[in-house]
């Protein structure tokens, strides 16, 4: 995906080649007055918002994964970060969005398409099934690059037409000649207001985000409380987490091993998950594709008091290894609706 710096026309390269900068993202730019061969126009960049939330139906490019997405709903989320091992934790609140990912980009993104799951209807005996939604992601506000599509059918996803409907749009000032009357905007269908989606599907709401940086590699974890489930006659509290590994060193590294530990107060013991790579994959994080993420679930017998932590073992180009810390994550669900939820979701 490339954008013309002068006209802000957003184009997609068939080969999807990118460049990066340690100081600023430059994956979406080229300096030529017209797109090179193999590139087609898909939209027009619009102004990024520093504070104001993006509305449901906003189409965007993901700054790290370079996929086309569309916003479903938003949340004010607690973010706990540790910029280096000897630093104290910093806490802030940041908007996060549940989004759909354009099907045409699934094969190019650096994460499995089935990372989003929830507890669906089960056998009727209290047991629920873990159900997967393909092509869905949770995105931070500063990862959104908003644009207006110029294609007549700009988005492909099974849920797209069920959730969104088109509305008339006006080109940004000075860009009418670029996009003309082809601009399209979308909004949540009137019968599916965003606050209704969230209230009925609490698994959409992230509980908290934790991040820590070790030797130029950042690990972030987003937690979601899925609810309770009856497993073999025992009531369990179920969480989902999305874990991201971001290489900021400027040199390729390979994720070789992982160790994840979970502590449960009611069981008074620890459980560990060891493995080669992640989910059968051994991701290579390069300067052009520096980010990988995956998801998994945890079942505990107690709503409060759970903890998760661990480490990754990464390999450098010269064959040396180093450990990267997975931040300490609290598995404690906030099941009450936040006071600011309606304000942050309904537009």
């Amino acid at each position: 995906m490339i954008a013309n710096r002068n006209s802000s026309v957003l184009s997609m390269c068939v080969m999807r080649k990118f460049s990066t900068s340690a100081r600023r993202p430059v994956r979406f730019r080229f300096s030529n007055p017209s797109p090179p061969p193999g590139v087609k126009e898909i939209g027009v960049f619009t102004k990024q918002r520093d504070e104001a939330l993006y509305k449901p139906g906003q189409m965007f490019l993901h700054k790290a994964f370079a996929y086309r997405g569309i916003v479903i709903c938003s949340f004010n989320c607690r973010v706990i970060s540790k910029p280096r091992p000897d630093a104290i934790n910093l806490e802030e609140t940041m908007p996060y969005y549940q989004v759909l990912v354009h099907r045409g980009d699934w094969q190019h993104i650096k994460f499995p398409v089935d990372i989003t799951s929830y507890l669906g209807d089960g056998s009727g005996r209290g047991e629920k099934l873990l159900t997967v939604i393909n092509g869905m992601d949770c995105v931070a506000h500063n990862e959104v690059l908003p644009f207006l599509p110029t294609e007549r059918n700009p988005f492909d996803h099974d849920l797209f037409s069920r959730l969104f409907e088109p509305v008339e749009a006006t080109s940004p000032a000075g860009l009418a000649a670029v996009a003309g009357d082809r601009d399209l905007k979308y909004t949540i269908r009137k019968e599916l207001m965003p606050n209704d989606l969230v209230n009925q599907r609490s698994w959409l709401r992230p509980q908290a985000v934790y991040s820590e940086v070790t030797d130029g590699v950042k690990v972030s974890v987003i937690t979601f409380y899925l609810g309770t489930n009856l497993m073999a006659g025992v009531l369990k509290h179920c969480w989902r987490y999305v874990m991201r590994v971001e290489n900021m060193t400027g040199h390729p590294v390979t994720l070789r091993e992982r160790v994840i530990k979970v502590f449960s107060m009611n069981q008074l013991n620890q459980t560990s998950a060891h493995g080669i790579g992640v989910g059968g994959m051994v991701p290579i994080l390069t300067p052009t594709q520096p980010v990988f993420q995956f998801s998994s679930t945890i079942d505990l017998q107690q709503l409060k008091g759970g903890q998760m932590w661990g480490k990754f073992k990464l390999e450098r180009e010269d064959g040396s290894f180093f450990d990267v810390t997975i931040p300490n994550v609290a598995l404690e669900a906030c099941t009450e609706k936040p006071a600011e939820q309606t304000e942050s979701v309904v537009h």
Side-chain angles (χ1 to χ4, degrees):
M1 298 174 188
I2 315 171
N4 186 305
R5 184 176 299 176
N6 298 320
S7 66
S8 295
V9 175
L10 176 61
S11 305
M12 173 169 288
C13 178
V14 174
M15 298 302 294
R16 301 179 67 92
K17 293 182 179 179
F18 308 107
S19 62
T20 59
S21 167
R23 294 181 177 272
R24 53 191 286 192
V26 294
R27 300 178 182 207
F28 311 110
R29 296 192 176 101
F30 65 87
S31 57
N32 296 330
S34 60
V39 174
K40 71 171 184 176
E41 177 187 328
I42 63 171
V44 178
F45 273 133
T46 59
K47 184 178 179 181
Q48 283 185 268
R49 300 183 179 185
D50 294 331
E51 296 181 0
L53 292 171
Y54 295 107
K55 296 180 180 181
Q58 174 66 61
M59 291 191 65
F60 67 95
L61 290 181
H62 194 288
K63 187 179 293 185
F65 293 111
Y67 64 67
R68 284 166 286 180
I70 187 168
V71 172
I72 301 174
C73 53
S74 60
F75 308 85
N76 285 329
C77 187
R78 191 165 58 105
V79 179
I80 302 97
S81 60
K82 193 172 185 180
R84 59 183 187 275
D86 59 342
I88 61 173
N89 286 338
L90 304 175
E91 186 168 332
E92 60 180 333
T93 299
M94 180 184 295
Y96 270 72
Y97 303 92
Q98 285 288 359
V99 308
L100 297 181
V101 180
H102 176 59
R103 188 189 303 273
D105 298 335
W106 290 5
Q107 62 181 315
H108 304 290
I109 55 180
K110 287 282 286 186
F111 61 87
V113 298
D114 59 351
I115 64 171
T116 302
S117 58
Y118 65 95
L119 293 175
D121 295 333
S123 62
R125 296 175 296 179
E127 297 182 3
K128 301 175 184 177
L129 299 176
L130 189 66
T131 305
V132 170
I133 298 179
N134 288 326
M136 195 171 183
D137 195 12
C138 189
V139 179
H141 182 81
N142 58 11
E143 296 173 335
V144 172
L145 298 173
F147 76 94
L148 282 174
T150 55
E151 297 178 289
R152 179 52 54 185
N153 297 300
F155 207 84
D156 182 15
H157 193 287
D158 291 342
L159 297 178
F160 178 67
S161 61
R162 294 168 56 184
L163 294 178
F164 299 100
E165 59 187 3
V167 294
E168 293 183 1
T170 302
S171 298
L175 295 179
V178 175
D181 60 358
R182 293 174 294 163
D183 288 353
L184 296 174
K185 281 182 119 178
Y186 294 88
T187 185
I188 289 284
R189 289 187 174 277
K190 295 180 178 60
E191 65 272 22
L192 295 172
M193 294 303 293
N195 59 326
D196 293 333
L197 288 173
V198 173
N199 291 339
Q200 296 172 16
R201 299 164 177 82
S202 60
W203 51 268
L204 288 170
R205 182 186 302 124
Q207 295 288 304
V209 181
Y210 303 83
S211 69
E212 187 165 342
V213 178
T214 309
D215 291 338
V217 177
K218 181 179 179 180
V219 177
S220 303
V221 184
I222 311 176
T223 58
F224 302 84
Y225 179 64
L226 303 185
T228 58
N229 196 9
L230 194 64
M231 301 180 179
V234 178
L235 187 67
K236 296 288 186 73
H237 293 274
C238 305
W239 277 266
R240 177 175 74 90
Y241 65 85
V242 176
M243 192 171 296
R244 180 187 296 189
V245 185
E246 181 178 359
N247 175 19
M248 302 182 295
T249 67
H251 304 283
V253 296
T254 302
L255 199 163
R256 291 296 183 187
E257 297 179 13
R258 76 187 189 282
V259 177
I260 297 177
K261 296 184 178 182
V262 177
F263 173 79
S264 176
M265 290 187 64
N266 67 313
Q267 295 175 349
L268 298 178
N269 62 12
Q270 297 179 7
T271 59
S272 299
H274 299 254
I276 303 298
V278 176
M281 295 178 285
V282 181
I284 301 175
L285 307 180
T286 67
T288 55
Q289 292 188 317
V291 190
F292 176 81
Q293 71 179 14
F294 66 98
S295 181
S296 189
T297 57
I298 297 173
D299 306 319
L300 300 176
Q301 294 184 28
Q302 213 165 357
L303 183 62
K304 304 286 185 177
Q307 298 284 332
M308 179 177 71
W309 69 96
K311 64 181 180 180
F312 292 107
K313 184 177 290 295
L314 278 69
E315 182 181 7
R316 301 184 180 92
E317 284 185 292
D318 61 6
S320 62
F321 291 86
F322 65 106
D323 291 335
V324 171
T325 300
I326 296 173
N328 193 313
V329 173
L331 298 173
E332 296 189 347
C334 176
T335 56
E336 296 181 359
K337 177 183 174 183
E340 73 275 11
Q341 186 64 61
T342 300
E343 181 180 351
S344 67
V345 173
V346 179
H347 305 272

